Amino acid sequence: MHLADTLRSILRRWYIFLLGLVLSFGMAGAAAINIQPTYEAEGTLLLMPPNGVVGPEGNPYLYLGGMTEALDVLVRRSNAPESVEAVEEKFSGLEIISAPDRTTSSPILVITVTGDNADEVLNAMEVGRTVVLRNLDAMQNELDVPRTMRISAEDLVIPLEATANRKMALQLAILLAAAGSVGTLMFTGFIDGQLLARAKAKESVRKVPKRSKRDKKEGTVTDEPDRLALFPQEVRTGNMLPDAQLEPAQDVPERVREGAQS
């Protein structure tokens, strides 16, 4: 169907098209409202250099560049199944991910918790932070690192509330609205085609000539060929001549003459 035909179909059946759009966007809006959003909380930790490296009067922020390797090891350990299960056992249906902040060169660890309940997300964030700090101590305990040479961690961002994420609901609403609009367009074109075909069929029936009452009474059909033209004038008029004077018509087929003589 071309664009011009589609536009004409919409103009002719605008009420069908409008009703379909109302239903489509209504379903999309209902889906966006009724689908429960997910909640997300994000906290960050900054790895700090050991006190023995910085010194009593040193600035620890000048020594952040040498701890990216330790950050990568800590992230790998915090995402291990045993670390994640420690959080998921207390809060079912949640997702917790630890990852380095790739937007900066500083050793910053980002903890992201996602779930269906805002309060549980915040509580899980606190448990996840505790697990990360425990992993940091365990890494250094395994190597018997002296207390003065241990890496520590400080809180940069502590989330106070979880943020509602309606991305999934919005995507579903857009999908429903788009599918409903396309379906409405196709349905409008289909209905318009059916109605036009029916109207054309009715118009063609009106143009067919009808038999008059007189024709029906006399039993004549105007649109059929005159089959009596095959017989001679005397036969058609009923003025039969004697058999001796009746000459068979030359243009009458043989089987027709035989039937007439019998």
Side-chain angles (χ1 to χ4, degrees):
M1 183 180 291
H2 299 289
L3 179 60
D5 297 333
T6 303
L7 293 177
R8 282 193 289 267
S9 297
I10 293 175
L11 291 177
R12 282 192 295 264
R13 317 299 172 191
W14 61 267
Y15 47 90
I16 298 178
F17 185 73
L18 181 61
L19 179 60
L21 289 182
V22 171
L23 292 176
S24 300
F25 284 93
M27 289 189 298
I33 294 175
N34 294 326
I35 294 179
Q36 184 178 2
T38 57
Y39 295 90
E40 183 178 293
E42 185 176 281
T44 55
L45 293 172
L46 174 65
L47 298 187
M48 301 298 292
N51 292 330
V53 175
V54 177
E57 297 181 359
N59 186 350
Y61 294 105
L62 299 177
Y63 299 88
L64 297 178
M67 292 186 296
T68 54
E69 293 81 4
L71 174 64
D72 292 337
V73 175
L74 179 59
V75 168
R76 180 64 64 87
R77 186 156 184 165
S78 299
N79 287 328
E82 56 271 14
S83 298
V84 175
E85 290 174 0
V87 180
E88 293 180 347
E89 286 178 356
K90 297 181 179 180
F91 307 97
S92 60
L94 296 179
E95 181 182 17
I96 180 168
I97 299 175
S98 299
D101 188 356
R102 299 302 184 186
T103 62
T104 179
S105 60
S106 300
I108 298 176
L109 187 144
V110 181
I111 305 173
T112 305
V113 181
T114 305
D116 297 331
N117 187 284
D119 295 333
E120 289 186 356
V121 166
L122 291 178
N123 295 333
M125 170 63 68
E126 183 61 29
V127 175
R129 172 185 173 277
T130 303
V131 171
V132 171
L133 295 178
R134 189 187 305 160
N135 287 332
L136 181 61
D137 288 337
M139 289 167 46
Q140 300 177 91
N141 289 335
E142 293 171 357
L143 299 175
D144 294 328
V145 178
R147 200 47 80 171
T148 57
M149 299 300 294
R150 286 177 176 257
I151 299 174
S152 60
E154 291 185 357
D155 291 310
L156 281 183
V157 177
I158 301 176
L160 300 179
E161 60 180 4
T163 304
N165 186 358
R166 296 186 175 273
K167 183 178 180 179
M168 183 178 296
L170 181 60
Q171 290 177 346
L172 181 60
I174 293 175
L175 180 62
L176 288 176
S181 300
V182 173
T184 299
L185 185 62
M186 296 177 63
F187 182 74
T188 303
F190 173 76
I191 294 298
D192 183 62
Q194 293 294 318
L195 294 178
L196 289 179
R198 184 177 298 179
K200 189 176 295 185
K202 290 182 178 179
E203 185 66 22
S204 61
V205 170
R206 292 195 192 97
K207 293 181 179 180
V208 175
K210 297 182 179 180
R211 296 173 60 185
S212 63
K213 294 182 178 180
R214 180 179 179 181
D215 293 337
K216 293 180 181 180
K217 183 176 180 180
E218 295 178 356
T220 60
V221 181
T222 58
D223 57 348
E224 292 185 356
D226 189 2
R227 297 180 178 178
L228 294 178
L230 298 175
F231 297 92
Q233 180 67 26
E234 294 81 358
V235 176
R236 294 200 303 268
T237 58
N239 299 324
M240 299 295 295
L241 297 176
D243 294 341
Q245 299 179 5
L246 181 62
E247 297 182 358
Q250 298 299 325
D251 56 346
V252 178
E254 184 65 26
R255 57 181 181 178
V256 175
R257 291 201 302 269
E258 292 177 355
Q261 292 175 2
S262 60

